[in-house]
Amino acid sequence: MNNIINFFISLTNNFKAKVGLYILFIFIITSIFAPLIIGSPSDYVGVPLQAPSTEFWFGTNGQGQDVFAQTLHGAQKTLFIAFLSGFLVVLVGAFLGGVAGYFGSRLDDVISLLINVFLLLPGLPLMVILAAWLPPGPLTIIVVLVFTGWAWHARVLRSQVMVFSNQDFVLASKVCGESSFRIIMIEILPRMLPLIASSFIGATIYGIGAQVGLEFLGLGDISQVTWGTNLYWATNDLALLTGSWWTYVPTGVSIALVSLSLTLINFGIDELANPRLISERHLSNKLDGEFDRNSVTPVRMKNNVNT
Amino acid sequence: MKLINTALLLFLFFHGCSNNEYQVEKGVMTISKEQTQSWVRNFNPLAPGANARWPSVAGIYEPLFITNSMTSKVVPWLGESYKWKKENRVLIIKTRDNVRWSDGKPYSAYDVEFTFNLKKKFPALDGTGNWKYLKSVTAIDSSHVEFVFSRVYVPGFEVLAGQPIVPKHIWSNVDDPVKYTDPNPIGTGPFTEIVKFTNQVWELGKNPDYWQKGKPKIDKLRFPAFLSNEQATLALIKGEVDWSGNFIPAIDRIFVSKDPDHNKYWFPKSGGSIFLYLNTTQPPFDNIDFRKAISMAIDRELITKVAMYDYTSPAHQTAISGSFLNYRLSSEKINESWVGFFPNQSIQKIKSLGYKKNSSGYWADSTGKEIQVSIGIVSGWADWIRAGQIISKNLEDIGIRARVKTQDFGAWFNDLQTGEFSGAIAWAESGANPFPMYEGLMASKNIKPIGEHAGTNWHRFGLSEVDSLVSIFEVTSDDSMKNKLIYRMQELFIKSAPAIPLFADPTWGVYSTKRFKNFPSADNPYAQISPNKTPENLFILTEVEPK
Amino acid sequence: MNKSVIYIFRRFLFYCLAGFMAITLNFLIPRLMPGDPASIMFAQFKGKLKPEALDALKETFGFADGPLLMQYFDYLKHLFRGDFGVSISYFPQPVVEVISSGLYWTLFLAGTSLIISFILGSIVGIFLAWNRDQKLDSFLIPTLSFLGAFPYFFIAMLLLYYFGFILDWFPLRHAYSQYVTPGYNLDFIISVLSHSILPAFTLIFVSLGGWMLSMRNNMISILGTEYINYAKAIGYDKKILMFRFAARNALLPSITGFGMALGFILSGALLTEIIFSYPGQGYLLLQAVRAQDFPLLQGIFLTITFSVLLSNLIVDIILLLLDPRIRK
């Protein structure tokens, strides 16, 4: 448990992760509180396709709705679905991958086959079909995202679990008579925390991108206000042809910023977990000067002489 | 550095060699009507699903008569005249003389006889359901065809009149006309020569021996493939398209402003309305007053302004619009007004029906159950979705829980037909006069039980009086009698509110007078303007000329 | 050598099995959707077809009804004969014809973009890993990540709008100009190339970062290994070290990724094709879904599944040749 807490503390000290966390935090807070402050985004408040002004910070869209309100409201649904689907993807992936990696033999064969088949199914077309079939709504999007996204992470997590399962500490636990459940939950998974966190973030990023893509195609629930549907309406109202970039750009930039923040956090996790990067960091913390990083251990360079 | 140089050079090379500038010769009209990714060479006018390239049905092949919805006149085309006999049991059509097929062979009544009997032999071709009321079709001689009806059905004339005629000498050799793609069509129409056909653009040249001498004045029609509305609009804005039937939002700002002298549009109303259907088998929608109350809560002005960009107008109390205005009941005869925005009256009506507002502010019945409406709309139809969103907001404002439910059309239409919906926005039946619309809204003989697929009357409302009116209408050819029946239908419609009209149903016509002139317009309404309305587009194809 | 053959054979068997399961799933999923093709076709005309037309359409597409199991065996039977049936939305064009038009364009656009992106990204990744400039790292990587974080269609539409519509530098749609004739003539070839620049650029732009990062990460872990250090100590030229030793080994995991991506190009370019009106298979797929065109859907799925399996098999063979460790 200590390890887990330590991990998160060091994460917040990492520069890249810090930036990422700040950005993400801003968006999350906005998405939770803004809808309470700003009025309903679907009210027809102004002349359609007005450029940004002091009255409407982001201007109005093709139906005379406030783009600023729409962007803020859209954050809530989009982020919620993305995080939830990311969480579920990792849950399913960790469970199936863990079971396969730990128990091996027959069970592994079956689950591996399942993983490989799912990996072979083309993601985007499958998403389009599922979304077209199921009734529009957040539940559908989540089902589609989890259905198409779990296999990749399951495979990654399975490999890692397999590696750990063959190591001494697991064998020792088995000898001591610990139940498989305990071994997986208490011994193996906590050690895989960076990988799991990284998978969660990766799945969330995928969740955002896929969700927005589907809604852009009109396959989501169009009567909801989300980032994806904002872009859908912007396109339908021929935003670019009318030169109304403000109906289009704020949402796009928001999506990019959130994805970026998650990616930065992922970089941070990587720097924490990758042993090589760890040692580099420790050294650069303790010593100053230039390092030649292309050796087994970073070597301090003197007077620009490169070995 | 070298890399940048080569890149620059390559770029200039491509740009210089770019052959994207508009390079079309005079007399060639570029049209945007169908939206597809890649053209399929199919000109079969009888094909099910209307998969043939436009204008196969009316452009390459032609019908017997065309009803001009602007003038309400029946214009003889491949048929010269017609006569009812034997108390409307037999229809004799005289075919036009001196018409040739584009391969030179003469057109005659035998082609008409062949076409209709082909539809009998292959029911998949009978998309208009002719053989539901025909008993036989025979050519009495080379210029007269006799249609014997199995039951008297006078409105059947309009349908028969619109049938595209195919040449017997070609089609009698076709094994499977259902799957036949007719790659090199032989027709009587103004344009019959396939000049070029690639998957991104195809060209239709004029018929050198067309029966209307001196016409068409246009030399060639060309059709680039536009994948989406946005792409087609882009081309229109750049001046690359002369005539189109697309829906363009904010058209004044996007299109007209780019070239105000030449870029024009005209959206004449087709005559009917778009409706909000409520499932009349479900309480409280089974109550006439409740339906009227819902109707009075809807702000149609806002819908036409925001959802339809002011291209149309709010529906009339009779749901009749545009070209059918002369069928409308006179205003003294209209004694109710539930098509309008009267939210207070709506609230009064609901209260008088015994509903009470609960603690959340929503109307609930005596058991405490809240009233809920779910408005089903196809997920691709943005303008209707916007309308639906306004409606649900209107309803929420007066205390009815409402939401828009978007579905892909497969699921949506399935629910509509089986009656598994509470609300939906959809079109109404149409025809040469308003009668079919009312018949579709109120005839009880068409009602199918919930769960069974119904081709019409999805909201399942019927009046037996309407059934008798329909029987009379089907057998009469007397115009004043027809008008009387239409008036009566309107009275019944106003009284019983089977469905809620929202706004007049417009037709879409966008054009540019840069290279062509003599398009019909509001100033010169000799015909309607939309390429989507077949077979009336033949008027435009034969009248428009290059500048 | 025998071991290699057995290994390839085992992989091949596995792909056959996975392929079969995928085919079955591909068959089931479209059919579980509500509605039937006739009704959908009818609905598309928004009321411009008479209600009687529905009956006529149902009559035509009667083959779409029938018990599921029968349909399945019918489907398999036709599959092995190479008969993919007739498309519903492009009735009566055979599915093979409908697909073939789109297939080549998707392969062309997505294929070349993928290859360029992979090669470019990997080379940059190698350089980045070798010259571990702290400043370059902390600037380039977040910037590229930021650019890659924008939704793909967003970037595509902006570029199309700005470079195509406003500046008029590039064509706005299609794979080639409507004023040239397809064939082996210079005009056509130039037209094809100029029409592919913008869509290919957007595809490459968005995926570049990914290849670059993965290559860089692979390189970093390789560069830390003993044998690289040894080679350096012996005095190998830096360039040779970088390319012959480090890069070759770092390439291996990337090739697996490349193989997977190659298999999926037939399905991945959907948004590109929509925005640039490029006549490829991606948009065809979307249309087929919307029209519930089962035969077309199955045909497209088949091409995707087949290409994924094939490219995976090819990648396995290549890896076998490149990496002696597998042979053991």
Side-chain angles (χ1 to χ4, degrees), chain C residues 52-87:
Chain C
E52 289 82 12
L54 186 58
D55 296 331
L57 286 174
K58 282 205 151 105
E59 163 86 36
T60 320
F61 301 124
F63 64 78
D65 295 325
L68 207 64
L69 206 58
M70 285 269 11
Q71 285 186 49
Y72 181 58
F73 284 119
D74 216 35
Y75 161 69
L76 286 178
K77 194 168 66 180
H78 283 129
L79 211 61
F80 285 113
R81 279 215 306 252
D83 172 13
F84 297 126
V86 163
S87 159

Side-chain angles (χ1 to χ4, degrees), chain B residues 11 13-15 17 19-24 36-38 40 42 48-51 123-124 126-129 132 159 178-181 196 198-201 222 224-228 230-231 234-235 237-238 240 381 384 408-411 413-414 417 427 429-430 453 455-456 532, chain C residues 34-35 39-47 50-57 59-60 88-93 101 105 157 160 164-165 168-180 182 187 190-191 193-195 197 273-280 283-284 290 292:
Chain B
F11 164 71
F13 179 61
F14 285 141
H15 182 50
C17 292
N19 24 30
N20 291 303
E21 277 74 57
Y22 187 72
Q23 294 169 15
V24 172
T36 182
Q37 182 190 30
S38 164
V40 170
N42 182 346
N51 263 343
D126 195 3
T128 45
K132 291 203 165 100
V159 184
V178 178
K179 292 217 176 103
Y180 181 50
T181 58
K196 172 176 173 175
T198 70
N199 70 341
Q200 284 181 186
V201 63
R222 108 189 249 117
F226 296 114
L227 185 66
S228 63
E230 178 152 19
Q231 278 287 347
L234 218 62
I237 295 177
K238 292 201 135 219
E240 292 169 1
W381 300 346
W384 289 8
D408 219 48
F409 30 70
F413 198 58
N414 194 51
Q417 288 187 305
W427 61 86
E429 303 296 342
S430 59
H453 282 85
T456 180
N532 300 330
Chain C
S39 298
I40 293 179
M41 200 178 275
F42 182 76
Q44 280 174 348
F45 290 92
K46 256 189 184 182
K50 297 233 154 283
E52 289 82 12
L54 186 58
D55 296 331
L57 286 174
E59 163 86 36
T60 320
I88 293 179
S89 49
Y90 287 95
F91 191 84
Q93 261 215 330
S101 60
W105 289 116
M157 288 180 76
L160 175 66
F165 184 60
D168 215 6
W169 285 3
F170 295 104
L172 291 175
R173 66 185 70 87
H174 291 163
Y176 54 90
S177 163
Q178 47 175 312
Y179 306 112
V180 299
D187 273 344
I190 292 182
S191 183
L193 287 174
S194 77
H195 280 254
I197 290 183
E273 290 169 14
I274 290 181
I275 292 172
F276 292 102
S277 276
Y278 210 79
Y283 186 71
L284 213 59
R290 291 194 164 140
Q292 281 189 28

Side-chain angles (χ1 to χ4, degrees), chain A residues 43 63 136 222 237 241-242, chain B residues 234 254 309 379 386 393 406:
Chain A
D43 279 347
Q63 283 116 64
I222 310 188
D237 294 333
L241 287 185
T242 54
Chain B
L234 218 62
I254 296 183
Y309 293 95
S379 47
R386 281 193 291 262
K393 185 159 190 312
T406 49

